[in-house]
């Protein structure tokens, strides 16, 4: 299975909105609504911020939203804040009953 | 409060077997509500799913690691374990144990992570 494709980096100014794409195939993202997104700050473990494409866990800011179109999922961060500077990973279930991650996207707040 | 705690040697020699255990407190690994798994992250790199176990019976593995990995469970101790054999320097990583809600992609709890270095 191949890793999902994410841009290496995305940047934005405070208050702006940014979108991170996660490209997969019909064997993963395109076949299931089992896409999740994780935020990881340096030296910390990952934290789930979106699951099942667009669901937000309790306690996660509503500035984070997820969507999917075809074989590509997206994470949008609205009203960008300095604490949003982190690495973001997408993850999807696959048709061979496994899970695959994206390579990660570093978000920089300018 | 649910807690997952990885334990095991922090240093493993090349060609030997990496063994880690995840001790779960606050939930039963026999529950049908959750799946329990392992994810790793090499230093400075991204996340890689290793595999998972459900109800201590069903297991799934990353195809790229399948020939070297075994995930097993000890329900009496409420623990699940990872064994990765024939390790090389490429297996050096922080290993996380996780819980995922069944029927969803909601991986809600992670252990703090255990750094395992493969070196002679």
């Amino acid at each position: 299975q191949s890793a999902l494709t994410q841009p290496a980096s995305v940047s934005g100014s405070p208050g702006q909105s940014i979108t991170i794409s996660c490209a997969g195939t019909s064997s993963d993202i395109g076949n299931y609504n089992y896409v999740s997104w994780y935020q990881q700050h340096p030296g910390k473990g990952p934290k789930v911020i979106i699951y099942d494409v667009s669901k937000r866990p309790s306690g996660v800011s509503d500035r984070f939203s997820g969507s999917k179109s075809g074989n590509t999922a997206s994470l949008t961060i609205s009203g960008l804040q300095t604490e949003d500077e982190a690495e973001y990973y997408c993850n999807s279930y696959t048709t061979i009953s496994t899970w695959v991650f994206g390579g990660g996207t570093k978000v920089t707040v300018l | 409060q649910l807690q997952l705690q990885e334990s095991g040697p922090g240093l493993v020699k090349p060609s030997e077997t990496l063994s880690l255990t995840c001790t779960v407190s606050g939930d039963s690994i026999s529950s049908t509500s959750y799946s329990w798994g392992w994810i790793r992250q090499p230093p400075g790199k991204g996340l890689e799913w290793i595999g998972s176990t459900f109800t201590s019976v069903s297991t799934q593995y990353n195809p790229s690691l399948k020939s070297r990995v075994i995930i097993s469970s000890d329900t009496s101790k409420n623990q699940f374990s990872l064994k990765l054999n024939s390790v090389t320097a490429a297996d050096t990583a922080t290993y996380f144990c996780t819980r995922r809600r069944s029927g969803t992609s909601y991986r809600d709890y992670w252990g703090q992570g255990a750094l395992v270095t493969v070196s002679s």
Side-chain angles (χ1 to χ4, degrees), chain B residues 5-61:
Chain B
Q5 179 67 57
E6 305 91 348
S7 59
L11 181 64
V12 180
K13 290 182 167 56
S15 80
E16 296 190 346
T17 297
L18 179 159
S19 295
L20 291 172
T21 295
C22 182
T23 300
V24 179
S25 56
D27 194 8
S28 169
I29 64 169
S30 298
S31 168
T32 58
S33 298
Y34 297 99
S35 177
W36 307 88
W38 292 94
I39 289 167
R40 70 179 182 178
Q41 185 172 37
K45 297 188 178 181
L47 301 170
E48 180 180 33
W49 180 78
I50 299 172
S52 61
T53 181
F54 177 68
T55 64
S56 308
V57 174
S58 170
T59 55
Q60 300 291 342
Y61 299 121

Side-chain angles (χ1 to χ4, degrees), chain A residues 76-92:
Chain A
T76 297
I77 309 175
S78 305
L80 198 61
Q81 298 181 1
T82 54
E83 60 260 37
D84 299 332
E85 192 161 285
E87 195 82 20
Y88 292 82
Y89 296 93
C90 59
N91 180 236
S92 174

Side-chain angles (χ1 to χ4, degrees), chain B residues 71-118:
Chain B
I71 294 176
S72 60
S73 304
D74 185 338
T75 55
S76 66
K77 296 180 179 178
N78 214 34
Q79 297 174 331
F80 61 101
S81 299
L82 169 70
K83 288 191 186 301
L84 179 66
N85 60 37
S86 305
V87 297
T88 69
D91 296 309
T92 294
T94 295
Y95 287 76
F96 297 97
C97 58
T98 68
R99 184 183 85 163
R100 181 181 59 81
R101 187 177 296 172
S102 299
T104 78
S105 58
Y106 189 20
R107 200 169 278 114
D108 57 355
Y109 279 91
W110 296 58
Q112 65 182 27
L115 175 62
V116 180
T117 301
V118 178

